[in-house]
Amino acid sequence: MKEEFFPLVDETGRVTGKASRKECHCGSFLLHPVVHLHVFDTKGRLLLQKRSMAKDIQPGRWDTAVGGHIDYGETIEQALRREAMEELGISEFNPARAFSYPFRSNVEYELINSFYTVYEGKLHPDPVELDDCGYWETAEIRQNIGQGVFTPNFEMEFSKLEEMGIVK
């Protein structure tokens, strides 16, 4: 397997260098960009993925429908579409930018570029990328916040989407 390289960025998203996945995930806290896509259906339910138990960060927790790193030399839009295809098998969607913010976990530091869309098409989840996926009612999500069910950054983003009036 070929080694992955991510761009290193400042908090405005300007590329300042590059580093390997291993370098970014070893506690070095090198700021690198990722994309998240929140997928709603027309009923207002939110599609979530259960992260694979094989993931090195937050395995087995429910998370944003699509999430992944931006590869070195790739644009945010290219990464968003690549990740949506890899994880859910979807390509025909119209993303809207929600917000960007830096997020520090116990092993990495990411600049998250968060988007949302409404999608009613067929899903083709990749069983290697995720263990499960499904639509959640927003009330069910609210009931499970703070219970260890979701990733911390999903909980933060859900709150921001509520503040923006995107989540009803």
Side-chain angles (χ1 to χ4, degrees), residues 32-48:
H32 58 285
V34 300
V35 291
H36 285 178
L37 180 65
H38 297 275
V39 178
F40 293 89
D41 66 8
T42 55
K43 297 174 188 158
R45 298 179 305 171
L46 189 55
L47 181 68
L48 299 180

Side-chain angles (χ1 to χ4, degrees), residues 4-37:
E4 290 179 90
F5 284 92
F6 304 146
L8 298 178
V9 297
D10 63 19
E11 288 194 7
T12 68
R14 185 178 62 83
V15 176
T16 61
K18 77 175 180 177
S20 70
R21 171 186 282 274
K22 184 178 177 182
E23 290 172 303
C24 289
H25 288 184
C26 71
S28 65
F29 301 107
L30 297 170
L31 184 60
H32 58 285
V34 300
V35 291
H36 285 178
L37 180 65

Side-chain angles (χ1 to χ4, degrees), residues 40-59:
F40 293 89
D41 66 8
T42 55
K43 297 174 188 158
R45 298 179 305 171
L46 189 55
L47 181 68
L48 299 180
Q49 68 157 276
K50 187 173 186 185
R51 292 176 59 81
S52 167
M53 290 303 292
K55 294 281 189 183
D56 56 348
I57 296 173
Q58 301 289 336

Side-chain angles (χ1 to χ4, degrees), residues 53-143:
M53 290 303 292
K55 294 281 189 183
D56 56 348
I57 296 173
Q58 301 289 336
R61 290 210 177 171
W62 288 90
D63 201 359
T64 310
V66 173
H69 291 90
I70 297 173
D71 291 335
Y72 187 76
E74 188 176 43
T75 68
I76 292 171
E77 176 85 11
Q78 288 168 333
L80 187 66
R81 293 199 176 276
R82 175 182 50 76
E83 289 290 344
M85 180 55 76
E86 286 175 6
E87 295 182 0
L88 297 177
I90 64 172
S91 60
E92 298 299 319
F93 63 96
N94 294 313
R97 180 178 279 279
F99 44 78
S100 295
Y101 67 99
F103 182 82
R104 184 185 296 259
S105 73
N106 60 340
V107 296
E108 69 175 331
Y109 190 31
E110 299 176 324
L111 180 61
I112 298 175
N113 297 280
S114 187
F115 294 81
Y116 65 96
T117 193
V118 175
Y119 182 79
E120 285 291 331
K122 188 94 170 122
L123 301 172
H124 304 281
D126 182 336
V128 174
E129 289 281 333
L130 46 118
D131 282 352
D132 196 4
C133 74
Y135 283 99
W136 289 57
E137 298 286 343
T138 54
E140 185 180 15
I141 293 170
R142 287 183 190 107
Q143 290 171 353

